[in-house]
């Protein structure tokens, strides 16, 4: 999984760079259109765009991860989703589904305090780590760390004979 994550991140990084270069040249040619193009309206939209543009690349990257974690947290609160959540969003070495929960449990938090603390820490170091690695490599590290930590949890559970489900990275 880790090799695939970093391989995909390298391809993603290459495609992002290629897209930025193409966009730069297209914008240089299309500057004259901005003068005749009507401006979009909406104060809320302008506020969201202003907020989004004020974020660093790291904070923008982590915003998606935080949104995924909040979405999964909300799914845990829906009674009809409990069975699916226990099957795919908790890690348990005795479960029928072993591989997908290794990744999906990374986004699972049952306690609001636990999720808030984890997301705060993620947000606080996101700018520096993404500027060091790039957003693509950071996502690969995040996902790989979640899968590896779940694997270590599987090994520890097998060694101790405790097979209760757990969640989180």
């Amino acid at each position: 999984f880790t090799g695939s994550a970093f391989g995909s991140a390298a391809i993603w990084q290459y495609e992002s760079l290629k897209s930025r270069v193409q966009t730069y040249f297209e914008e240089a040619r299309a500057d004259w259109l901005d003068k005749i193009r009507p401006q979009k309206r909406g104060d809320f939209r302008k506020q969201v765009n202003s907020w989004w543009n004020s974020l660093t690349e790291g904070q923008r990257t982590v915003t998606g991860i935080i949104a995924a974690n909040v979405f999964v947290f909300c799914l845990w609160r829906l009674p009809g989703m409990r069975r699916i959540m226990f099957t795919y969003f908790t890690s348990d070495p005795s479960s029928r589904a072993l591989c997908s929960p290794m990744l999906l449990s990374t986004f699972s938090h049952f306690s609001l305090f636990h999720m808030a603390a984890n997301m705060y820490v993620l947000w606080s170091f996101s700018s520096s780590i993404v500027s060091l690695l790039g957003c693509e490599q950071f996502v690969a590290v995040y996902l790989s760390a979640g899968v590896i930590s779940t694997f270590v949890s599987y090994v520890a559970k097998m060694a101790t004979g405790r097979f209760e489900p757990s969640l989180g990275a």
Side-chain angles (χ1 to χ4, degrees):
F1 177 82
T2 300
S4 296
F6 281 99
S8 299
I11 293 168
W12 179 19
Q13 203 165 20
Y14 167 76
E15 291 295 330
S16 294
L17 180 61
K18 187 172 105 176
S19 174
R20 277 185 263 168
V21 169
Q22 287 174 342
T23 302
Y24 173 77
F25 287 116
E26 288 171 5
E27 286 177 358
R29 282 183 276 161
D31 275 343
W32 65 274
L33 281 175
D34 287 341
K35 295 174 185 165
I36 59 173
R37 188 179 300 153
Q39 296 296 318
K40 295 179 181 174
R41 296 184 183 188
D43 289 334
F44 179 72
R45 181 184 172 134
K46 287 179 184 176
Q47 288 175 345
V48 170
N49 282 337
S50 174
W51 171 77
W52 184 257
N53 292 331
S54 71
L55 297 177
T56 64
E57 183 183 17
Q59 291 170 331
R60 285 188 209 133
T61 303
V62 171
T63 299
I65 294 172
I66 291 172
N69 279 277
V70 169
F71 179 72
V72 171
F73 180 78
C74 291
L75 288 177
W76 274 106
R77 301 299 172 259
L78 300 174
M81 292 296 294
R82 285 286 170 105
R83 185 173 176 187
I84 292 171
M85 298 306 288
F86 273 110
T87 303
Y88 294 105
F89 287 84
T90 59
S91 60
D92 183 2
S94 63
S95 173
R96 290 178 293 136
L98 287 177
C99 294
S100 56
M102 290 179 79
L103 176 62
L104 297 176
S105 68
T106 303
F107 298 97
S108 255
H109 298 83
F110 202 71
S111 159
L112 179 62
F113 177 75
H114 180 224
M115 184 187 67
N118 283 355
M119 297 305 105
Y120 173 75
V121 170
L122 188 63
W123 181 268
S124 66
F125 75 82
S126 65
S127 294
S128 58
I129 196 74
V130 170
S131 68
L132 179 68
L133 297 175
C135 70
E136 301 87 359
Q137 298 296 324
F138 171 75
V139 171
V141 167
Y142 179 82
L143 295 176
S144 296
V147 170
I148 291 169
S149 65
T150 303
F151 178 75
V152 170
S153 172
Y154 279 178
V155 171
K157 287 177 184 180
M158 295 297 283
T160 60
R162 298 174 58 196
F163 297 107
E164 66 269 355
S166 61
L167 47 90

